[in-house]
């Protein structure tokens, strides 16, 4: 049987035009630019315009990833969309993106793993491609977290932003792909910690959308250890070592977490791709947005080994190693 591997063909990102600075937020709640910058590294974030939806952001990022790959929507037969802020309770936002792109074949569905969504979506698409069930996938992370924030809660509203990122993954025969492709993936969840980070509404409970609630310092305590263990598991799976990693493209929750994970793993600070200062935490969109930034400015080049990782609500966490 032919052995397939999933190879990155293109990356794209989209950020809404409106920018909200720390100074802007300091006019809304009792906070300061100095506190936000020191505790998180965030200086500003993008906010979707009125009427601009998650599917709008996701479609734009997907189109840019297709352009970067030199492909058209007709080349895609699978969309896996990671989002915790769907346009509607149903149908899946992925089907709305599918329609906006003009794709009428294959399958599209949403995946809910909050901030870890892009890692889980990559793993899901990879499994379909490796089994030969689909040819080319758009893996999208898109969020409008501004719509589920409690803008009177200074402990959460300063952290998040809106945006979308997308990657085109293509099935290639292992023998022809060389060393490229997804080398290792590790996923974990533990629902015992569901109350540390959740939204206090939903169709089946309150019949409302709800607002994000987080015990930030508790999440922080879990983050560094769990992420580091996951990265080591992915490395073992791929038979690779920390020194083999060229670029560390983490979920952008907090600069202190990124730096602490890099330090624990023994990764040089210069290998970290950080967009947290200008994007804030865009949940499932943060990894593909950061990857897009590093590909666009020439840091990440063909053949580099990229490490992605995330932790978020669930708790759900994971990592993947991709030779791009
Ligand atoms: N401005 C000023 N003061 C504030 C603010 C603010 N915006 N927010 C909280 N404070 C205060 C608190 O009230 C508290 O005051 P007190 O000591 O008088 O009670 C003090 O600052 C310290 O609060 P902590 O929550 O302990 O601060 P910490 O250093 O932990 O920083 C933060 C908070 C930034 C949220 C941090 O805990 C964090 O980044 N956690 C991880 C977040 C994360 O990774 N989430 C996962 C991904 S998100 C997802 O999955 C959707």
């Amino acid at each position: 049987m032919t052995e397939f591997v999933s190879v990155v063909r293109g990356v794209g990102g989209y950020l809404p035009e409106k920018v909200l600075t720390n100074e802007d937020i300091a006019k809304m709640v009792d906070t300061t630019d100095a506190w936000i910058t020191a505790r998180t590294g965030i200086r500003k974030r993008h906010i979707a315009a009125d009427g601009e939806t998650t599917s709008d952001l996701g479609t734009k990022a997907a189109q840019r990833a297709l352009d970067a790959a030199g492909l058209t929507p007709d080349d895609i037969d699978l969309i896996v969309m990671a989002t915790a802020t769907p346009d509607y309770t149903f149908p899946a936002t992925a089907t709305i993106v599918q329609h906006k792109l003009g794709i009428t074949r294959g399958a599209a569905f949403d995946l809910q793993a909050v901030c870890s969504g892009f890692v889980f979506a990559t793993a899901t698409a990879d499994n379909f491609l490796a089994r030969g069930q689909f040819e080319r996938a758009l893996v999208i992370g898109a969020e409008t977290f501004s719509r589920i924030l409690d803008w009177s809660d200074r402990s959460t509203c300063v952290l998040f932003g809106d945006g979308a990122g997308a990657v085109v993954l293509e099935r290639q025969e292992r023998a022809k792909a060389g060393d490229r492709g997804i080398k290792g993936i590790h996923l974990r969840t533990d629902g015992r910690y569901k109350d540390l980070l959740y939204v206090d509404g939903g169709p089946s409970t309150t019949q409302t959308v709800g607002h994000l609630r987080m015990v930030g310092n508790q999440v922080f305590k879990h983050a560094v250890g769990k992420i580091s263990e996951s990265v080591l598991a992915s490395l073992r799976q791929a038979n690779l070592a920390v020194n083999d990693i060229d670029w560390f493209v983490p979920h952008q929750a907090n600069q202190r977490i990124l730096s602490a994970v890099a330090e624990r793993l023994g990764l040089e600070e210069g290998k970290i791709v950080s967009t947290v200062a200008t994007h804030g935490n865009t949940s499932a969109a943060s990894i593909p947005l950061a990857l897009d930034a590093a590909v666009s400015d020439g840091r990440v080049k063909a053949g580099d080994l990229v490490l992605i990782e995330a932790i978020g609500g669930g708790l759900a966490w994971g990592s993947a190693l991709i030779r791009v």
Side-chain angles (χ1 to χ4, degrees):
M1 216 178 87
T2 316
E3 248 197 272
F4 292 113
V5 60
S6 310
V7 170
V8 172
R9 278 286 307 261
V11 186
Y14 178 78
L15 290 160
E17 269 174 42
K18 184 180 169 188
V19 170
L20 196 67
T21 64
N22 290 349
E23 286 83 3
D24 294 330
I25 296 187
K27 290 177 195 144
M28 297 155 62
V29 289
D30 181 15
T31 191
T32 59
D33 172 48
W35 190 96
I36 303 170
T37 306
R39 296 291 177 117
T40 71
I42 300 167
R43 294 198 314 268
K44 56 185 183 178
R45 69 289 291 144
H46 292 250
I47 303 290
D50 287 346
E52 192 175 31
T53 63
T54 295
S55 69
D56 291 331
L57 308 186
T59 303
K60 285 183 175 141
Q63 188 57 62
R64 288 180 180 179
L66 287 168
D67 292 346
L71 296 168
T72 70
D74 289 341
D75 296 313
I76 298 298
D77 58 356
L78 176 67
I79 300 175
V80 186
M81 179 137 182
T83 186
T85 45
D87 286 15
Y88 300 99
T89 302
F90 75 78
T93 306
T95 61
I96 302 172
V97 170
Q98 183 189 34
H99 177 60
K100 285 180 176 171
L101 288 170
I103 301 172
T104 53
R105 70 188 186 109
F109 60 89
D110 287 0
L111 186 147
Q112 162 64 290
V114 206
C115 291
S116 300
F118 188 77
V119 180
F120 279 65
T122 300
T124 305
D126 177 45
N127 275 296
F128 281 117
L129 296 172
R131 277 179 64 99
Q133 285 176 315
F134 293 95
E135 233 178 301
R136 253 176 243 105
L138 268 170
V139 182
I140 306 171
E143 303 279 17
T144 46
F145 259 51
S146 63
R147 306 264 157 79
I148 57 164
L149 294 177
D150 174 350
W151 285 100
S152 67
D153 175 11
R154 68 175 183 175
S155 69
T156 53
C157 76
V158 302
L159 302 173
F160 297 90
D162 300 335
V167 166
V168 178
L169 281 183
E170 179 176 83
R171 169 184 100 188
Q172 291 186 6
E173 287 181 28
R174 190 176 286 280
K176 292 185 187 158
D179 197 31
R180 291 184 71 195
I182 294 177
K183 318 296 287 179
I185 294 197
H186 177 258
L187 305 180
R188 280 283 280 122
T189 61
D190 192 338
R192 278 179 299 177
Y193 304 116
K194 68 178 173 48
D195 295 336
L196 297 186
L197 178 49
Y198 65 102
V199 168
D200 62 3
S204 175
T205 48
T206 58
Q207 296 84 56
T208 62
V209 172
H211 291 111
L212 181 145
R213 306 291 172 205
M214 176 164 75
V215 192
N217 51 10
Q218 292 294 318
V219 176
F220 200 114
K221 277 181 195 149
H222 285 282
V224 181
K226 286 185 165 50
I227 291 168
S228 304
E229 279 168 29
S230 176
V231 170
L232 295 176
S234 281
L235 282 166
R236 274 196 301 277
Q237 202 187 101
N239 210 10
L240 290 164
V242 169
N243 282 344
D244 295 317
I245 296 166
D246 295 302
W247 293 105
F248 176 39
V249 186
H251 168 50
Q252 311 282 322
N254 184 319
Q255 185 60 44
R256 285 155 61 208
I257 298 178
L258 311 196
S259 300
V261 170
E263 194 184 323
R264 170 130 4 154
L265 291 170
L267 267 165
E268 297 153 37
E269 191 84 15
K271 289 184 172 180
I272 306 176
V273 175
S274 178
T275 52
V276 71
T278 51
H279 297 182
N281 179 349
T282 57
S283 184
S286 85
I287 292 173
L289 271 170
L291 185 60
D292 179 53
V295 168
S296 301
D297 67 19
R299 273 177 291 173
V300 171
K301 293 182 200 66
D304 284 350
L305 185 69
V306 173
L307 164 68
I308 64 172
E309 56 81 351
I311 186 164
L315 293 175
W317 66 100
S319 61
L321 287 158
I322 310 166
R323 193 168 298 281
V324 295

